[in-house]
């Protein structure tokens, strides 16, 4: 079957699958989707230059996962590379199940020549997501693909079913292989400027004749859904389609107020869905992706063809938004225009707006400031003066086996960077100890001259404000406490700050990281440990039976399991 996917429909088969992977994972009444993926090297040419890429089942980008809210996803990953490998499921909350998150803080990597079976549920989620390699700089070579979570049939969607559903994975690209890029960082050098932008694994700088293969084909007068994700390494990309407007309907799992735009800034790690109606002259049109906030512009185009169209696309590309300070103001204003659709249902039948986050008392404020430093003659990136480094034992395993004191210290950073009392950067595992079910406010402050994008695993959060300058408590009067979007990534512009709010109701070990892979690889990330004192399966699942064990916990007896 396509993508080696099978549907398990018998109750006994579902039970067997559940028991073989984790006795506590999820309930059997929700459908299962099974995949078998072989991860290999293969020659790819996103920018026209042949280079070794990471393929999944021979595909670049990798296979798309189409699933429905509450489905159980079982993916057997065979690592046929020459390096350890992990996939992370970007934006999937892994409710009670950080064991499957696919980060080096929660899982041992899959060693070359071995396999591991992920088993997770897209619990109470809908929307547009993607997966990618969390190890080394593998994302620079591919290994990423779309992950789409559809609403259940009984849950109303606030727009008519589109004629088709298109996945657009775009982002900056380097012609150097991932090993060369990693070596550069390990030797204290920067990744430098990307070589171009790819759209679904291909790139063309302009034009679009009748002989050019279209990326997508539309029927006149029909409406299509485009799910656009920035899977790049460091560059914000502006997305637009020649001659067509874009109606925003979903962003990172939230239905939005359906405003119409000419283009979107899509920051690294972010996904959104737009509706495009084929209401123009039947011919070819160009989808355009261009870099933002870079010294030299990068562009790529792809052809969108009308069925039975009669002409090529115009060579005149739609103009991008402004750059420099005016461009940042334009982008901030676009962020502020994104609003939660309070009357629409998401994964559950109740309206999104029935959750009144603005009336919840804040129990903790954590202010995080990113910085760049030189340690031992090499670049490092830090959060509140700590540059994260991974120990040989995943943080979650160390904590679960009760040997965390031998692996890391909690709260190396302070909630307020001004309280740290030093500008020296410490290179160490960075783990924040948090209280289960607390409602927290996190301030992300960026004093640097480059844009940042942050992502939080395990949760969605309310992005209540972005403003220039430094944050202070008085800034709370400017928060959107009514209809801010619930999402999992947030951009922070140069010399600016962003405020997010969330309830820490998902027990586990969760990664808060820069989505700029260079910065995360060199330390701009941390983990939030959220433990339930009840040690109950109501709050967190037990470690999976097939979990990979490594580091100092290898050979130790498994702790007593959680119970109801």
């Amino acid at each position: 079957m396509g993508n080696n996917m099978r549907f398990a429909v018998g109750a006994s088969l579902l039970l067997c699958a559940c028991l073989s992977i984790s006795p506590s994972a999820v309930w059997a009444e929700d459908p299962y989707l099974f995949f078998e993926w072989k991860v290999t090297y293969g020659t790819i040419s996103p920018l026209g230059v042949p280079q070794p890429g990471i393929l999944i089942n021979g595909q670049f980008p990798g296979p798309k996962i189409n699933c429905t809210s509450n489905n159980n996803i079982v993916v057997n990953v065979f690592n046929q590379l020459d390096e350890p490998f992990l996939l992370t499921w970007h934006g999937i909350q892994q409710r009670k199940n950080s064991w499957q998150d696919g980060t080096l803080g929660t899982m041992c990597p899959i060693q070359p020549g071995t396999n591991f079976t992920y088993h997770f549920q897209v619990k109470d989620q809908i929307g547009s997501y993607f997966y990618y390699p969390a190890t080394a700089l593998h994302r620079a070579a591919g290994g990423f693909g779309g992950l789409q979570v559809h609403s259940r049939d009984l849950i109303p969607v606030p727009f008519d079913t589109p004629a088709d559903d298109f996945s657009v994975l775009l982002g900056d690209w380097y012609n150097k292989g991932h090993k060369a890029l990693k070596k550069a960082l390990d030797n204290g050098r920067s990744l430098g400027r990307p070589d171009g932008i790819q759209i679904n694994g291909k790139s063309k700088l302009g034009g679009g004749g009748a002989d050019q293969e279209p990326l997508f084909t539309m029927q006149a007068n029909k409406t299509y859904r485009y799910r656009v994700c920035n899977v790049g390494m460091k560059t914000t990309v502006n997305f637009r389609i020649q001659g067509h407007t874009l109606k925003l309907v979903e962003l990172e799992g939230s239905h939005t107020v359906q405003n119409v735009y000419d283009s979107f800034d899509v920051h690294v790690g972010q996904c959104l869905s737009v509706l495009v109606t084929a209401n123009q002259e039947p011919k070819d049109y160009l989808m355009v992706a261009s870099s933002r906030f870079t010294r030299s512009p990068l562009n790529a185009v792809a052809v969108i063809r009308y069925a039975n169209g009669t002409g090529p696309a115009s060579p005149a590309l739609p103009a991008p938004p402004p750059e420099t300070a005016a461009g940042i103001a334009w982008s901030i204003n676009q962020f502020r225009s994104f609003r939660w659709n309070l009357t629409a249902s998401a994964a559950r039948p109740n309206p999104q707006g029935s959750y009144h986050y603005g009336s919840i008392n804040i129990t903790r404020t954590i202010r995080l400031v990113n910085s760049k430093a030189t340690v031992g003659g090499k670049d490092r990136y830090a959060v509140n003066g700590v540059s994260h480094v991974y120990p040989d034992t995943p943080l979650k395993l160390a904590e679960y086996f009760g040997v965390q004191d031998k692996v890391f210290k909690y709260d190396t950073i302070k909630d307020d960077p001004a309280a740290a009392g030093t500008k020296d950067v410490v290179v160490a595992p960075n783990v924040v100890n948090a209280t289960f079910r607390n409602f927290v406010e996190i301030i992300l402050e960026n004093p640097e001259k480059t844009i940042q994008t942050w992502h939080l695993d395990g949760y969605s959060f309310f992005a209540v404000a972005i403003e220039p300058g430094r944050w202070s408590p008085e800034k709370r009067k400017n928060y959107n406490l009514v209809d801010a979007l619930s999402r999992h990534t947030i951009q922070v512009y140069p010399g600016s700050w962003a405020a997010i709010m969330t309830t820490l109701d998902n027990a586990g070990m969760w990664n808060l990281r820069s989505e700029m892979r260079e910065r995360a690889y060199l330390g701009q990330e941390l983990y939030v440990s959220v433990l339930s004192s009840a040690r109950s399966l109501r709050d967190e699942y037990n470690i999976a039976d097939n979990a990979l064990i490594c580091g100092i916990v290898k050979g130790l007896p498994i702790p007593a399991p959680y119970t109801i």
Side-chain angles (χ1 to χ4, degrees):
M1 296 185 182
N3 294 336
N4 295 307
M5 184 178 74
R6 327 186 279 283
F7 290 88
V9 296
S12 61
L13 181 55
L14 290 176
L15 182 58
C16 290
C18 198
L19 290 175
S20 67
I21 299 165
S22 172
S24 59
V26 282
W27 305 116
E29 61 264 21
D30 292 310
Y32 277 68
L33 303 182
F34 290 84
F35 301 86
E36 186 175 284
W37 287 356
K38 291 180 171 59
V39 182
T40 62
Y41 288 123
T43 301
I44 59 175
S45 304
L47 304 184
V49 178
Q51 64 185 105
I54 295 177
L55 313 180
I56 298 179
N57 290 355
Q59 300 177 46
F60 170 72
K64 180 169 62 178
I65 293 180
N66 258 317
C67 60
T68 300
S69 178
N70 292 349
N71 280 175
N72 296 291
I73 311 299
V74 181
V75 188
N76 193 358
V77 177
F78 290 81
N79 178 14
Q80 298 179 358
L81 307 180
D82 57 356
E83 297 181 341
F85 183 81
L86 277 178
L87 287 172
T88 190
W89 315 93
H90 187 73
I92 301 302
Q93 293 177 13
Q94 308 289 0
R95 301 295 301 178
K96 304 192 289 187
N97 200 17
S98 63
W99 304 111
Q100 305 292 318
D101 199 34
T103 65
L104 288 168
T106 59
M107 298 178 61
C108 304
I110 308 168
Q111 296 300 316
T114 67
N115 69 299
F116 174 77
T117 301
Y118 290 89
H119 179 201
F120 58 91
Q121 186 181 30
V122 287
K123 180 68 174 173
D124 292 336
Q125 288 189 263
I126 56 97
S128 308
Y129 308 95
F130 65 96
Y131 59 85
Y132 71 87
T135 36
L137 292 187
H138 290 146
R139 179 161 150 181
F144 49 74
L147 200 168
Q148 302 175 358
V149 187
H150 302 272
S151 296
R152 292 173 288 169
D153 289 341
L154 297 178
I155 307 298
V157 175
F159 50 88
D160 292 336
T161 302
D164 209 341
D165 194 320
F166 299 138
S167 178
V168 181
L169 303 178
L170 48 75
D172 57 14
W173 192 264
Y174 292 83
N175 286 326
K176 292 181 180 179
H178 70 92
K179 292 184 179 180
L181 295 174
K182 179 178 178 296
K183 183 178 180 181
L185 295 186
D186 291 341
N187 289 336
R189 302 192 303 273
S190 169
L191 292 185
R193 179 176 178 266
D195 295 299
I197 293 176
Q198 62 80 28
I199 303 174
N200 282 9
K202 299 178 181 179
S203 180
K204 187 173 175 62
L205 299 181
D211 58 341
Q212 184 172 338
E213 180 182 356
L215 184 65
F216 302 115
T217 298
M218 302 194 297
Q219 298 281 343
N221 299 315
K222 292 188 176 181
T223 298
Y224 296 80
R225 182 174 185 171
Y226 286 75
R227 300 175 187 257
V228 184
C229 296
N230 186 336
V231 298
M233 297 288 285
K234 65 190 298 184
T235 307
T236 296
V237 173
N238 184 265
F239 168 84
R240 52 203 186 273
I241 297 178
Q242 198 176 51
H244 293 74
T245 56
L246 313 170
K247 180 185 285 187
L248 182 67
V249 294
E250 176 259 331
L251 194 152
E252 297 179 21
S254 285
H255 290 307
T256 65
V257 172
Q258 295 179 13
N259 295 325
V260 176
Y261 301 83
D262 292 322
S263 71
F264 286 96
D265 278 354
V266 188
H267 305 277
V268 180
Q270 296 183 357
C271 294
L272 54 83
S273 289
V274 297
L275 297 181
V276 178
T277 300
N279 56 6
Q280 301 299 307
E281 177 188 350
K283 62 176 190 128
D284 286 357
Y285 295 88
L286 296 179
M287 174 188 292
V288 184
S290 58
S291 63
R292 294 281 278 148
F293 317 119
T294 56
R295 290 182 180 178
S296 301
L298 299 170
N299 292 282
V301 301
V303 170
I304 307 298
R305 179 160 294 165
Y306 276 56
N308 303 314
T310 57
S314 167
L317 301 182
E323 286 290 333
T324 63
I328 290 175
W330 183 96
S331 194
I332 291 177
N333 285 334
Q334 183 171 83
F335 161 82
R336 290 172 177 165
S337 74
F338 298 159
R339 298 300 176 109
W340 218 21
N341 187 332
L342 299 180
T343 61
S345 301
R348 293 183 174 183
N350 51 302
Q352 292 180 145
S354 61
Y355 186 76
H356 302 289
Y357 67 92
S359 61
I360 304 174
N361 291 328
I362 297 169
T363 55
R364 183 179 181 183
T365 297
I366 304 173
R367 182 166 157 248
L368 302 176
V369 179
N370 55 269
S371 63
K372 181 179 179 180
T374 301
V375 179
K378 298 179 180 180
D379 286 348
R380 295 292 303 184
Y381 296 96
V383 183
N384 290 9
V386 175
S387 183
H388 178 76
V389 64
Y390 282 102
D392 293 336
T393 306
L395 307 170
K396 179 61 177 173
L397 280 179
E399 187 177 66
Y400 187 73
F401 279 85
V403 296
Q404 63 270 22
D405 291 347
K406 298 179 180 179
V407 176
F408 66 89
K409 295 180 180 179
Y410 291 109
D411 297 327
T412 305
I413 64 171
K414 306 298 182 183
D415 286 2
D416 184 347
T422 179
K423 294 185 178 180
D424 294 335
V425 167
V426 175
V427 179
N430 196 351
V431 182
V432 173
N433 193 10
T435 302
F436 187 46
R437 296 200 175 101
N438 265 11
F439 187 72
V440 299
E441 171 190 49
I442 301 176
I443 309 301
L444 301 162
E445 200 166 300
N446 177 22
E448 299 185 65
K449 296 180 180 180
T450 56
I451 193 170
Q452 308 290 320
T453 308
W454 289 89
H455 165 80
L456 176 60
D457 281 348
Y459 299 93
S460 59
F461 51 71
F462 293 97
V464 295
I466 292 178
E467 289 190 1
R470 297 185 65 184
W471 180 85
S472 64
E474 293 74 24
K475 301 290 186 179
R476 292 187 180 119
K477 67 179 183 294
N478 299 330
Y479 286 4
N480 176 359
L481 298 179
V482 177
D483 59 357
L485 279 184
S486 175
R487 55 192 300 179
H488 57 81
T489 69
I490 185 69
Q491 70 272 14
V492 191
Y493 298 92
S496 301
W497 57 268
I500 62 176
M501 305 167 82
T502 192
T503 300
L504 299 178
D505 60 355
N506 191 16
M509 181 76 72
W510 305 109
N511 190 203
L512 175 60
R513 61 179 174 268
S514 169
E515 272 305 303
M516 281 67 172
R517 292 306 300 157
E518 175 178 6
R519 299 183 76 97
Y521 179 75
L522 294 178
Q524 190 176 314
E525 60 179 331
L526 57 86
Y527 280 80
V528 182
S529 171
V530 183
L531 291 176
S532 167
S533 59
R535 295 182 60 86
S536 169
L537 292 174
R538 289 189 295 268
D539 300 331
E540 186 174 11
Y541 295 138
N542 285 310
I543 188 171
D545 289 345
N546 70 327
L548 301 174
I549 305 298
C550 59
I552 65 171
V553 302
K554 191 170 185 178
L556 294 182
I558 300 294
Y562 294 166
T563 60
I564 295 295

